[in-house]
Amino acid sequence: MRIVGFYHSLSSDWNHGNAHFLRGMVRQLLARGHQVEIFEPREGWSRQQLLSEVGDEALGGFRRAFPTLRSTLYDLDALDVPAAVDGADLVLVHEWNRPWLVAEVGRARRDANFALLFHDTHHRAATAPEEMERYDLGAYDGVLAYGAVIRDLYLDSGWAGRAWTWHEAADVELFHPLPDEEREHDLVWIGNWGDGERSAELRKFLLEPARELRLSGSLYGVRYPARALRAIERAGLRYGGWTPNFQAPALFARHRVTVHVPRRPYARALPGIPTIRPFEALACGIPLVCAPWEDAEGLFTPGRDFLVARDGAEMRGHLREVLADESLARSLADHGRRTILARHTCAHRVDELLAICRGLGMAVPELEAAL
């Protein structure tokens, strides 16, 4: 098949977690013989922030890490949408696109013969529904929503006639254990500070436990205000700044445990959506301790894939136990990785995508076994 995608960015993962899954999905599709072209805006926010903060060498690192991946840059005022989708069998449009582009691809679909799906990987459907109402999905075949609660919002609100749950997953060709790396430190956190959506939670479930337990380790990510940097220093941890996602496996391998602290909208309004980081951490075989989130869709087995801390005291206790008990740490790491390999790889998600396409009447070859 020829697959065309309109996404915010393939080349930049600066505060853009969807790039992780997008890269893995495209690599899997290419490996199966499909033709894939991703269009991203030249002036996209994530790409511009990356170039401003890190420079061109960041894009060079992306090209070296993912030699099979290329995107087509376009200028917003010069994009020829009908030409871009010409000859496509499937077109995917991500929710981080301007409403005019979403509508324009829909208009192009009326004069062509391709399946058209809208891909939503954000919490706005629940937290800012007025923004989602600006999107015209009338010509779309349906919505790929990365959680059942978002899928149901599209259906219940009448924004789409069909919607499917399509969770993110780990690219296990990239995210896997690195046993030759020495575990030099206790705790690693890879994530962005955000827009105040989890500031209190990060202090409660990450910084304060690390300070009280006197753990060694580092935090990586972007958009950390000065007060956050001071809090990291007081916790006795190091701030490492932005790191490309392809370096995360090595960072996990050099630490003994990691923590997942979901943003408030996911913990409160969107149960069942863990976002990309836990998938990647578990794929790398590092023990994981989570702040509270409800696994409403049964993706994992809490207590065996990872531990859940209901408050700061439990987080301290879990971290202390994992760091002191090698058998427990190994059990969590092994069970979590087996769960990823069995159910949550990009190969599994491509299988699901192709099954959806076949359900839409597309002539898609029989599904290959998930890796």
Side-chain angles (χ1 to χ4, degrees), residues 137-222:
L137 302 181
Y140 284 64
D141 291 293
V143 172
L144 301 171
Y146 83 146
V149 63
I150 296 179
R151 176 202 64 201
D152 293 344
L153 283 171
Y154 273 91
L155 298 175
D156 295 342
S157 300
W159 297 335
R162 284 180 290 196
W164 299 268
T165 301
W166 199 45
H167 282 284
E168 295 184 317
D171 178 358
V172 295
E173 291 185 24
L174 173 62
F175 288 89
H176 55 78
L178 299 174
D180 292 336
E181 294 281 351
E182 182 181 353
R183 296 192 181 274
E184 302 169 338
H185 303 289
D186 298 320
L187 174 66
V188 64
W189 155 266
I190 305 175
N192 305 319
W193 190 264
D195 301 305
E197 292 178 337
R198 58 181 170 195
S199 301
E201 290 84 350
L202 286 171
R203 289 186 173 89
K204 178 179 180 179
F205 289 99
L206 179 63
L207 299 180
E208 292 177 6
R211 178 181 59 82
E212 294 175 8
L213 294 174
R214 298 184 178 182
L215 302 183
S216 65
S218 300
L219 281 73
Y220 296 87
V222 301

Coordinates of all heavy atoms in Angstrom, one line a residue, residues 137-222:
L137 N -14.6 16.3 10.2 CA -14.3 15.0 9.9 C -15.3 14.3 9.1 O -15.4 13.0 9.0 CB -14.1 14.2 11.2 CG -13.0 14.8 12.2 CD1 -12.9 13.9 13.4 CD2 -11.7 14.9 11.5
G138 N -16.2 15.1 8.4 CA -17.3 14.5 7.7 C -16.9 13.5 6.6 O -17.6 12.6 6.3
A139 N -15.7 13.7 6.0 CA -15.3 12.9 4.9 C -14.4 11.8 5.3 O -13.9 11.0 4.5 CB -14.6 13.7 3.8
Y140 N -14.1 11.7 6.7 CA -13.2 10.7 7.2 C -13.9 9.4 7.4 O -15.1 9.3 7.8 CB -12.6 11.2 8.5 CG -11.5 12.2 8.3 CD1 -11.8 13.5 7.7 CD2 -10.2 12.0 8.6 CE1 -10.8 14.4 7.5 CE2 -9.2 13.0 8.4 CZ -9.5 14.2 7.8 OH -8.5 15.1 7.6
D141 N -13.2 8.3 7.3 CA -13.7 7.0 7.5 C -13.8 6.6 9.0 O -14.6 5.7 9.4 CB -12.9 5.9 6.8 CG -13.0 5.9 5.3 OD1 -14.1 5.7 4.8 OD2 -12.0 6.3 4.7
G142 N -13.1 7.4 9.8 CA -13.2 7.1 11.3 C -12.0 7.7 12.0 O -11.1 8.4 11.4
V143 N -11.9 7.5 13.3 CA -10.9 8.0 14.1 C -10.1 6.9 14.8 O -10.7 5.9 15.3 CB -11.5 8.9 15.2 CG1 -10.5 9.4 16.3 CG2 -12.2 10.1 14.5
L144 N -8.8 7.0 14.8 CA -7.9 6.2 15.6 C -7.6 6.9 16.9 O -6.9 8.0 16.9 CB -6.6 5.9 14.9 CG -6.7 5.2 13.5 CD1 -5.3 5.2 12.8 CD2 -7.2 3.8 13.7
A145 N -8.2 6.5 18.0 CA -8.0 7.1 19.3 C -7.1 6.3 20.2 O -7.3 5.1 20.4 CB -9.4 7.3 20.0
Y146 N -6.2 7.0 20.9 CA -5.2 6.2 21.7 C -5.7 5.9 23.1 O -4.9 5.7 24.0 CB -3.9 6.8 21.7 CG -3.5 7.9 22.6 CD1 -2.2 8.0 23.1 CD2 -4.4 8.9 23.0 CE1 -1.8 9.0 23.9 CE2 -4.0 9.9 23.8 CZ -2.7 10.0 24.3 OH -2.3 11.0 25.1
G147 N -7.0 5.7 23.2 CA -7.6 5.2 24.4 C -9.1 5.1 24.2 O -9.7 5.8 23.5
A148 N -9.7 4.1 24.9 CA -11.2 3.9 24.8 C -12.0 5.0 25.2 O -13.0 5.3 24.6 CB -11.6 2.6 25.6
V149 N -11.6 5.8 26.2 CA -12.4 6.9 26.7 C -12.4 8.0 25.6 O -13.5 8.6 25.4 CB -11.8 7.5 28.0 CG1 -10.4 8.0 27.9 CG2 -12.8 8.5 28.6
I150 N -11.3 8.2 24.8 CA -11.3 9.2 23.8 C -12.1 8.7 22.6 O -12.9 9.4 22.0 CB -9.9 9.5 23.3 CG1 -9.1 10.2 24.5 CG2 -9.9 10.4 22.1 CD1 -7.7 10.5 24.2
R151 N -12.0 7.4 22.3 CA -12.8 6.8 21.2 C -14.3 7.0 21.5 O -15.1 7.5 20.6 CB -12.6 5.3 21.2 CG -13.5 4.5 20.2 CD -13.5 3.0 20.5 NE -14.2 2.9 21.8 CZ -14.0 1.8 22.6 NH1 -13.2 0.8 22.2 NH2 -14.6 1.7 23.7
D152 N -14.7 6.8 22.8 CA -16.1 7.0 23.1 C -16.6 8.4 23.0 O -17.7 8.7 22.7 CB -16.4 6.4 24.5 CG -16.2 4.9 24.6 OD1 -16.2 4.3 23.5 OD2 -16.1 4.4 25.7
L153 N -15.7 9.4 23.3 CA -16.0 10.8 23.2 C -16.3 11.1 21.8 O -17.2 11.9 21.5 CB -14.9 11.6 23.8 CG -14.7 11.7 25.3 CD1 -13.4 12.4 25.7 CD2 -15.9 12.5 25.9
Y154 N -15.6 10.6 20.9 CA -15.8 10.9 19.4 C -17.2 10.4 19.0 O -17.9 11.1 18.3 CB -14.7 10.3 18.6 CG -13.5 11.2 18.4 CD1 -12.5 11.2 19.3 CD2 -13.5 12.2 17.4 CE1 -11.4 12.0 19.1 CE2 -12.4 13.0 17.2 CZ -11.4 12.9 18.1 OH -10.3 13.8 17.9
L155 N -17.5 9.2 19.5 CA -18.8 8.6 19.1 C -19.9 9.3 19.8 O -21.0 9.6 19.2 CB -18.7 7.1 19.4 CG -17.7 6.3 18.6 CD1 -17.7 4.8 19.1 CD2 -17.9 6.3 17.1
D156 N -19.8 9.5 21.1 CA -20.9 10.1 21.9 C -21.2 11.5 21.5 O -22.3 12.0 21.6 CB -20.6 10.0 23.4 CG -20.6 8.5 23.9 OD1 -21.1 7.6 23.1 OD2 -20.0 8.3 24.9
S157 N -20.1 12.2 21.1 CA -20.3 13.6 20.7 C -20.7 13.8 19.3 O -21.0 14.9 18.8 CB -19.0 14.4 20.9 OG -18.6 14.3 22.3
G158 N -20.7 12.7 18.5 CA -21.1 12.8 17.1 C -20.0 13.4 16.2 O -20.3 13.8 15.1
W159 N -18.8 13.5 16.7 CA -17.7 14.0 15.9 C -17.3 13.1 14.8 O -16.8 13.5 13.8 CB -16.5 14.3 16.8 CG -16.7 15.4 17.8 CD1 -17.6 16.4 17.8 CD2 -16.0 15.5 19.0 NE1 -17.5 17.2 18.9 CE2 -16.5 16.6 19.7 CE3 -14.9 14.8 19.6 CZ2 -16.1 17.1 20.9 CZ3 -14.5 15.3 20.8 CH2 -15.0 16.4 21.5
A160 N -17.6 11.8 15.0 CA -17.2 10.7 14.0 C -18.2 9.6 14.1 O -18.8 9.3 15.2 CB -15.8 10.2 14.3
G161 N -18.5 9.0 13.0 CA -19.4 7.8 13.0 C -18.7 6.5 13.4 O -19.4 5.6 13.8
R162 N -17.4 6.5 13.2 CA -16.7 5.3 13.6 C -15.4 5.7 14.3 O -14.8 6.7 13.9 CB -16.3 4.4 12.3 CG -17.5 3.6 11.8 CD -17.1 2.8 10.6 NE -16.8 3.6 9.4 CZ -16.8 3.2 8.2 NH1 -17.0 1.9 7.9 NH2 -16.5 4.0 7.2
A163 N -15.0 4.9 15.2 CA -13.7 5.2 16.0 C -13.2 3.9 16.5 O -14.0 3.0 16.9 CB -13.9 6.2 17.1
W164 N -11.9 3.8 16.6 CA -11.3 2.6 17.1 C -10.2 3.0 18.2 O -9.6 4.0 18.0 CB -10.6 1.8 16.0 CG -11.4 1.3 14.9 CD1 -12.1 0.1 14.8 CD2 -11.8 2.1 13.7 NE1 -12.8 0.1 13.6 CE2 -12.7 1.2 12.9 CE3 -11.5 3.3 13.2 CZ2 -13.2 1.6 11.7 CZ3 -12.0 3.8 12.0 CH2 -12.9 2.9 11.3
T165 N -10.0 2.1 19.1 CA -9.0 2.3 20.1 C -7.7 1.8 19.5 O -7.6 0.7 19.1 CB -9.2 1.6 21.4 OG1 -10.5 2.0 22.0 CG2 -8.1 1.8 22.4
W166 N -6.7 2.7 19.5 CA -5.4 2.4 18.9 C -4.3 3.0 19.8 O -3.9 4.1 19.6 CB -5.3 2.9 17.5 CG -4.2 2.3 16.7 CD1 -3.9 1.0 16.5 CD2 -3.3 3.0 15.8 NE1 -2.9 0.8 15.6 CE2 -2.5 2.0 15.2 CE3 -3.1 4.3 15.4 CZ2 -1.5 2.3 14.2 CZ3 -2.1 4.6 14.5 CH2 -1.3 3.6 13.9
H167 N -3.9 2.2 20.8 CA -2.9 2.7 21.8 C -1.5 2.8 21.1 O -1.2 2.2 20.1 CB -2.8 1.7 22.9 CG -3.9 1.8 23.9 ND1 -4.0 2.8 24.9 CD2 -5.0 1.0 24.1 CE1 -5.0 2.6 25.6 NE2 -5.7 1.5 25.2
E168 N -0.7 3.7 21.7 CA 0.7 3.7 21.4 C 1.4 2.5 21.8 O 0.8 1.6 22.6 CB 1.3 5.0 21.9 CG 0.8 6.3 21.3 CD 1.5 7.5 21.8 OE1 1.8 7.6 23.0 OE2 1.7 8.4 21.0
A169 N 2.6 2.3 21.4 CA 3.4 1.1 21.8 C 4.8 1.3 21.6 O 5.3 2.4 21.2 CB 2.9 -0.1 20.9
A170 N 5.6 0.3 22.0 CA 7.1 0.5 22.0 C 7.7 -0.1 20.7 O 7.2 -1.1 20.2 CB 7.7 -0.3 23.1
D171 N 8.6 0.7 20.2 CA 9.4 0.2 19.0 C 10.5 -0.7 19.6 O 11.6 -0.2 20.0 CB 10.0 1.4 18.3 CG 10.9 1.0 17.1 OD1 11.1 -0.2 16.9 OD2 11.4 2.0 16.5
V172 N 10.3 -2.0 19.6 CA 11.2 -2.9 20.3 C 12.5 -3.1 19.6 O 13.5 -3.7 20.1 CB 10.5 -4.2 20.7 CG1 9.4 -4.0 21.7 CG2 10.0 -4.9 19.5
E173 N 12.6 -2.6 18.3 CA 13.9 -2.7 17.7 C 14.8 -1.7 18.3 O 16.1 -1.8 18.3 CB 13.7 -2.4 16.2 CG 13.0 -3.5 15.4 CD 13.0 -3.2 13.9 OE1 13.9 -2.4 13.4 OE2 12.1 -3.7 13.2
L174 N 14.3 -0.6 18.9 CA 15.1 0.4 19.5 C 15.1 0.3 21.0 O 16.1 0.4 21.7 CB 14.5 1.8 19.1 CG 15.1 3.0 19.9 CD1 16.6 3.1 19.6 CD2 14.4 4.3 19.4
F175 N 13.9 0.0 21.6 CA 13.8 -0.1 23.1 C 13.9 -1.5 23.5 O 12.9 -2.3 23.4 CB 12.4 0.6 23.5 CG 12.4 2.1 23.4 CD1 12.0 2.7 22.2 CD2 12.9 2.9 24.4 CE1 12.1 4.0 22.0 CE2 12.9 4.2 24.3 CZ 12.5 4.8 23.1
H176 N 15.0 -1.8 24.0 CA 15.3 -3.2 24.5 C 16.4 -3.1 25.6 O 17.1 -2.1 25.6 CB 15.7 -4.1 23.4 CG 16.8 -3.7 22.6 ND1 18.2 -3.8 23.0 CD2 16.9 -3.0 21.4 CE1 19.0 -3.3 22.1 NE2 18.2 -2.8 21.1
P177 N 16.6 -4.1 26.4 CA 17.7 -4.1 27.4 C 19.1 -4.0 26.8 O 19.3 -4.5 25.7 CB 17.5 -5.4 28.1 CG 16.1 -5.8 27.9 CD 15.8 -5.3 26.5
L178 N 20.0 -3.3 27.5 CA 21.4 -3.2 27.1 C 22.2 -3.8 28.2 O 22.7 -3.0 29.0 CB 21.7 -1.8 26.8 CG 21.0 -1.1 25.6 CD1 21.3 0.4 25.5 CD2 21.2 -1.8 24.3
P179 N 22.4 -5.1 28.3 CA 23.0 -5.7 29.4 C 24.4 -5.4 29.6 O 25.0 -5.5 30.7 CB 22.8 -7.2 29.2 CG 22.6 -7.3 27.7 CD 21.9 -6.1 27.3
D180 N 25.1 -4.9 28.6 CA 26.5 -4.5 28.8 C 26.8 -3.2 29.4 O 27.9 -2.9 29.8 CB 27.2 -4.5 27.4 CG 27.3 -5.9 26.8 OD1 27.2 -6.9 27.6 OD2 27.4 -6.1 25.5
E181 N 25.7 -2.4 29.5 CA 25.8 -1.1 30.2 C 25.8 -1.3 31.7 O 25.1 -2.1 32.3 CB 24.6 -0.2 29.9 CG 24.6 0.3 28.4 CD 25.6 1.4 28.1 OE1 26.1 1.9 29.1 OE2 25.7 1.7 26.9
E182 N 26.7 -0.6 32.4 CA 26.8 -0.7 33.9 C 25.7 0.2 34.5 O 25.6 1.4 34.2 CB 28.2 -0.3 34.4 CG 28.4 -0.4 35.9 CD 29.7 0.0 36.3 OE1 30.6 0.3 35.4 OE2 30.0 0.1 37.5
R183 N 25.0 -0.4 35.5 CA 24.0 0.4 36.2 C 24.7 1.3 37.3 O 25.0 0.9 38.4 CB 23.0 -0.5 36.9 CG 22.2 -1.3 35.9 CD 21.0 -2.0 36.5 NE 20.2 -2.8 35.5 CZ 19.3 -2.3 34.7 NH1 18.9 -1.0 34.8 NH2 18.6 -3.0 33.9
E184 N 25.0 2.5 36.9 CA 25.8 3.4 37.7 C 25.0 4.2 38.8 O 25.6 4.6 39.8 CB 26.5 4.4 36.8 CG 27.4 3.8 35.7 CD 27.8 4.8 34.7 OE1 27.2 5.8 34.5 OE2 28.8 4.5 34.0
H185 N 23.7 4.4 38.5 CA 22.9 5.3 39.4 C 21.6 4.6 39.8 O 21.2 3.6 39.2 CB 22.7 6.6 38.8 CG 24.0 7.3 38.4 ND1 24.8 7.9 39.3 CD2 24.6 7.5 37.2 CE1 25.9 8.4 38.7 NE2 25.7 8.2 37.4
D186 N 20.9 5.2 40.7 CA 19.6 4.7 41.2 C 18.4 5.0 40.3 O 17.8 4.1 39.8 CB 19.3 5.2 42.6 CG 20.4 4.8 43.6 OD1 20.9 3.7 43.6 OD2 20.7 5.7 44.4
L187 N 18.1 6.2 40.1 CA 16.8 6.6 39.5 C 17.0 7.5 38.3 O 17.9 8.4 38.3 CB 16.1 7.5 40.6 CG 14.8 8.1 40.2 CD1 13.7 7.0 39.9 CD2 14.3 9.1 41.3
V188 N 16.2 7.2 37.3 CA 16.2 8.1 36.1 C 14.8 8.4 35.8 O 13.8 7.6 35.9 CB 16.9 7.4 34.9 CG1 16.1 6.1 34.4 CG2 17.0 8.3 33.7
W189 N 14.6 9.6 35.4 CA 13.3 10.1 34.9 C 13.5 10.8 33.5 O 14.3 11.6 33.4 CB 12.6 11.1 35.9 CG 11.7 12.1 35.3 CD1 11.9 13.3 34.8 CD2 10.3 11.8 35.1 NE1 10.8 13.9 34.4 CE2 9.7 13.0 34.5 CE3 9.4 10.8 35.4 CZ2 8.4 13.1 34.2 CZ3 8.1 10.9 35.0 CH2 7.6 12.1 34.5
I190 N 12.7 10.3 32.5 CA 12.7 10.9 31.2 C 11.3 11.5 30.9 O 10.4 10.7 30.7 CB 13.2 9.9 30.1 CG1 14.5 9.3 30.5 CG2 13.3 10.6 28.8 CD1 15.0 8.2 29.6
G191 N 11.2 12.8 30.9 CA 9.9 13.4 30.6 C 10.0 14.9 30.7 O 10.9 15.4 31.2
N192 N 9.0 15.5 30.2 CA 8.9 17.0 30.2 C 8.1 17.5 31.4 O 7.2 16.9 31.8 CB 8.3 17.5 28.9 CG 9.1 16.9 27.7 OD1 10.3 16.8 27.7 ND2 8.4 16.5 26.7
W193 N 8.6 18.7 31.8 CA 7.9 19.3 33.0 C 6.4 19.6 32.6 O 5.5 19.4 33.4 CB 8.6 20.5 33.5 CG 8.1 21.0 34.8 CD1 7.2 22.0 35.0 CD2 8.5 20.5 36.1 NE1 7.0 22.2 36.3 CE2 7.7 21.3 37.0 CE3 9.3 19.5 36.5 CZ2 7.9 21.1 38.4 CZ3 9.5 19.3 37.9 CH2 8.7 20.1 38.8
G194 N 6.2 20.1 31.4 CA 4.9 20.4 30.9 C 4.3 21.8 31.3 O 5.1 22.7 31.6
D195 N 3.0 21.9 31.3 CA 2.4 23.2 31.5 C 1.6 23.2 32.9 O 0.5 23.6 32.9 CB 1.3 23.4 30.4 CG 2.0 23.4 29.0 OD1 3.0 24.2 28.8 OD2 1.6 22.6 28.1
G196 N 2.3 22.7 33.9 CA 1.7 22.7 35.2 C 0.7 21.6 35.4 O 0.0 21.5 36.4
E197 N 0.7 20.6 34.5 CA -0.3 19.5 34.5 C 0.2 18.4 35.5 O -0.6 17.6 35.8 CB -0.4 18.9 33.1 CG -1.1 19.8 32.1 CD -1.3 19.2 30.8 OE1 -0.5 18.3 30.5 OE2 -2.2 19.6 30.0
R198 N 1.4 18.5 36.0 CA 1.8 17.5 37.0 C 3.0 18.0 37.9 O 3.7 17.2 38.4 CB 2.3 16.2 36.3 CG 3.5 16.4 35.3 CD 3.8 15.1 34.6 NE 4.8 15.3 33.5 CZ 5.0 14.4 32.6 NH1 4.5 13.2 32.6 NH2 5.9 14.7 31.6
S199 N 3.1 19.3 38.0 CA 4.1 19.9 38.8 C 4.1 19.4 40.2 O 5.1 18.9 40.8 CB 4.0 21.4 38.8 OG 4.1 21.9 37.5
A200 N 2.9 19.4 40.9 CA 2.8 18.9 42.2 C 3.1 17.4 42.3 O 3.7 16.9 43.3 CB 1.4 19.2 42.8
E201 N 2.6 16.7 41.3 CA 2.8 15.2 41.3 C 4.3 14.9 41.2 O 4.8 13.9 41.8 CB 2.0 14.6 40.2 CG 0.5 14.7 40.4 CD -0.1 16.0 40.0 OE1 0.6 16.9 39.6 OE2 -1.4 16.0 39.9
L202 N 5.0 15.6 40.4 CA 6.5 15.3 40.2 C 7.2 15.6 41.5 O 8.1 14.8 41.8 CB 7.1 16.2 39.1 CG 6.7 15.8 37.7 CD1 7.1 16.8 36.6 CD2 7.3 14.4 37.3
R203 N 6.8 16.6 42.2 CA 7.5 16.8 43.5 C 7.1 15.7 44.5 O 8.0 15.2 45.2 CB 7.0 18.2 44.1 CG 7.6 19.4 43.3 CD 7.3 20.7 44.0 NE 8.0 21.8 43.4 CZ 7.5 22.5 42.4 NH1 6.3 22.2 41.9 NH2 8.2 23.5 41.8
K204 N 5.9 15.3 44.5 CA 5.4 14.3 45.5 C 5.9 12.9 45.2 O 6.3 12.2 46.1 CB 3.8 14.4 45.5 CG 3.2 13.3 46.4 CD 1.7 13.5 46.4 CE 1.0 12.5 47.3 NZ -0.5 12.7 47.2
F205 N 5.9 12.5 43.9 CA 6.2 11.1 43.6 C 7.6 10.9 43.0 O 8.0 9.8 42.8 CB 5.2 10.6 42.6 CG 3.8 10.4 43.1 CD1 2.8 11.4 42.9 CD2 3.5 9.3 43.9 CE1 1.5 11.2 43.5 CE2 2.3 9.1 44.4 CZ 1.3 10.0 44.2
L206 N 8.3 12.0 42.8 CA 9.7 11.9 42.2 C 10.7 12.6 43.0 O 11.7 12.0 43.6 CB 9.7 12.4 40.8 CG 11.0 12.3 40.0 CD1 11.5 10.9 39.8 CD2 10.9 13.0 38.6
L207 N 10.6 13.9 43.2 CA 11.7 14.7 43.8 C 11.8 14.5 45.3 O 12.9 14.2 45.8 CB 11.5 16.2 43.5 CG 11.5 16.5 42.0 CD1 11.3 18.0 41.8 CD2 12.8 16.0 41.3
E208 N 10.7 14.5 46.0 CA 10.7 14.3 47.4 C 11.1 12.9 47.8 O 12.0 12.8 48.7 CB 9.4 14.7 48.0 CG 9.0 16.2 48.0 CD 7.7 16.5 48.5 OE1 7.0 15.6 49.1 OE2 7.2 17.7 48.4
P209 N 10.6 11.9 47.2 CA 11.2 10.5 47.5 C 12.7 10.4 47.3 O 13.4 9.8 48.0 CB 10.3 9.6 46.7 CG 9.0 10.3 46.4 CD 9.4 11.7 46.3
A210 N 13.1 11.0 46.1 CA 14.5 10.9 45.8 C 15.4 11.6 46.9 O 16.4 11.1 47.3 CB 14.8 11.5 44.4
R211 N 14.9 12.8 47.3 CA 15.6 13.5 48.3 C 15.7 12.8 49.7 O 16.7 12.6 50.3 CB 15.0 14.9 48.5 CG 15.7 15.7 49.6 CD 15.0 17.1 49.7 NE 13.6 16.9 50.1 CZ 13.1 16.7 51.4 NH1 14.0 16.6 52.4 NH2 11.9 16.6 51.6
E212 N 14.5 12.2 50.1 CA 14.4 11.6 51.4 C 15.2 10.3 51.4 O 15.8 9.9 52.4 CB 13.0 11.3 51.7 CG 12.2 12.6 52.0 CD 10.8 12.4 52.2 OE1 10.3 11.2 52.4 OE2 10.0 13.4 52.3
L213 N 15.3 9.6 50.2 CA 16.1 8.3 50.2 C 17.5 8.6 49.8 O 18.3 7.6 49.7 CB 15.4 7.4 49.2 CG 14.0 6.9 49.5 CD1 13.4 6.1 48.4 CD2 14.1 6.0 50.8
R214 N 17.8 9.8 49.4 CA 19.2 10.2 49.0 C 19.7 9.4 47.8 O 20.7 8.8 47.8 CB 20.2 10.0 50.2 CG 19.9 10.9 51.4 CD 20.9 10.8 52.5 NE 20.6 11.7 53.6 CZ 21.4 11.9 54.6 NH1 22.5 11.1 54.8 NH2 21.0 12.7 55.6
L215 N 18.8 9.3 46.8 CA 19.1 8.6 45.6 C 20.0 9.4 44.7 O 19.9 10.6 44.6 CB 17.8 8.2 44.9 CG 16.7 7.4 45.7 CD1 15.5 7.1 44.8 CD2 17.3 6.2 46.3
S216 N 20.8 8.6 43.9 CA 21.5 9.2 42.8 C 20.7 9.1 41.6 O 19.9 8.1 41.4 CB 22.9 8.6 42.7 OG 22.7 7.2 42.3
G217 N 21.0 10.0 40.6 CA 20.3 9.8 39.4 C 20.1 11.1 38.6 O 20.6 12.2 39.0
S218 N 19.3 11.1 37.6 CA 19.1 12.2 36.7 C 17.7 12.3 36.1 O 17.0 11.4 36.1 CB 20.1 12.1 35.5 OG 21.4 12.1 35.9
L219 N 17.4 13.6 35.7 CA 16.1 13.9 35.0 C 16.5 14.4 33.7 O 17.4 15.2 33.5 CB 15.3 14.9 35.8 CG 14.4 14.4 37.0 CD1 15.3 14.1 38.2 CD2 13.4 15.4 37.4
Y220 N 15.7 14.0 32.7 CA 15.9 14.5 31.3 C 14.6 15.0 30.7 O 13.5 14.4 31.0 CB 16.4 13.4 30.4 CG 17.8 12.9 30.8 CD1 17.9 11.9 31.8 CD2 18.9 13.4 30.3 CE1 19.2 11.4 32.1 CE2 20.2 13.0 30.6 CZ 20.3 11.9 31.6 OH 21.5 11.5 32.0
G221 N 14.6 16.1 30.0 CA 13.4 16.6 29.4 C 13.5 18.1 29.1 O 14.6 18.7 29.3
V222 N 12.4 18.7 28.7 CA 12.4 20.1 28.4 C 11.3 20.8 29.1 O 10.5 20.2 29.7 CB 12.3 20.3 26.8 CG1 13.4 19.6 26.1 CG2 10.9 19.8 26.3

